[in-house]
Structure formats: structure tokens, C-alpha cells
Amino acid sequence: MMLHINADPEDGRPALLLVHGMLSSRNHWLPNLSLSERFRVVAIDLPAHGLSPAPVSDADAKPDALVQAIELVRERLQISRWNICGQSFGAALTLRYALTFPNRVIAQVF
């Protein structure tokens, strides 16, 4: 599953993933634009939110599939490790991501 992302360019800043909650989008994080001063911000749209397409199957909407979709974002951007931050349902996903891929996470905020 391909998630829509907004990602700052790579320039040596540590990466920070931002994951919104239900019925929201990556735009949830617009008031936090100053994070880009210190981090390479990566904001995603969860499936059926913002510009990400709806899941094709029920299996694509399950938490394990969403965690795998987040991991694909990390791989696509060639980020070795990142900080992760989630709000509401996004926090649950980032917690699950951290438990699934502990070696990929520097720190977590929820």
C-alpha cells in the first residue's frame, strides 16, 4: 500500500515521522512547521485520508498492514533510523511500529 507523504529534503537533519489520527490528514501538523528547523519532517496521510487512496482490501486496513506501509515510506526515503510522533490513532500506530521495528526508531512522542 502506497501512502501519500510530504517530506522535507535530505540535508543531514534527523528524520521525524508525523502520523495523524482518524478523520484527519498530514495537514494536522501544519501548525508545527517550525519542526523543520531541526528535523527532516516526513508527514504521511493514512489510507483513505488526505491524498492517500482507500485500502484495496480489509487486510490493508489492519494495523499490521499500516505499520508495514509506514516501513515502506522509511525504505522509500532511504532513512536508516527516525524519530516518530503520532496523534491519537497515529500514536497507536507509531507505538506498534516501534515494537515491530525497534532498531529503526531513535525516539517516540505520542
Side-chain angles (χ1 to χ4, degrees):
M1 163 182 359
M2 185 74 85
L3 301 177
H4 180 82
I5 63 170
N6 279 2
D8 291 343
E10 170 57 53
D11 66 358
R13 292 170 294 167
L16 171 62
L17 171 69
L18 300 175
V19 183
H20 64 82
M22 297 299 284
L23 304 177
S24 188
S25 73
R26 70 194 181 291
N27 293 333
H28 172 86
W29 304 104
L30 288 176
N32 305 99
L33 290 176
S34 64
L35 288 169
S36 287
E37 294 171 10
R38 296 192 177 257
F39 297 95
R40 177 187 184 195
V41 173
V42 177
I44 65 171
D45 279 334
L46 292 173
H49 293 76
L51 297 177
S52 287
V56 176
S57 69
D58 289 345
D60 289 339
K62 294 189 180 210
D64 286 339
L66 298 175
V67 165
Q68 290 301 320
I70 291 170
E71 176 62 3
L72 288 175
V73 169
R74 187 199 60 76
E75 290 175 355
R76 187 170 70 192
L77 295 175
Q78 299 180 350
I79 296 169
S80 60
R81 296 178 69 220
W82 54 3
N83 299 282
I84 57 177
C85 176
Q87 180 268 330
S88 190
F89 181 69
L93 288 177
T94 59
L95 282 167
R96 192 173 193 124
Y97 180 91
L99 291 170
T100 305
F101 299 104
N103 294 333
R104 301 290 186 214
V105 177
I106 299 166
Q108 179 174 21
V109 178
F110 55 91

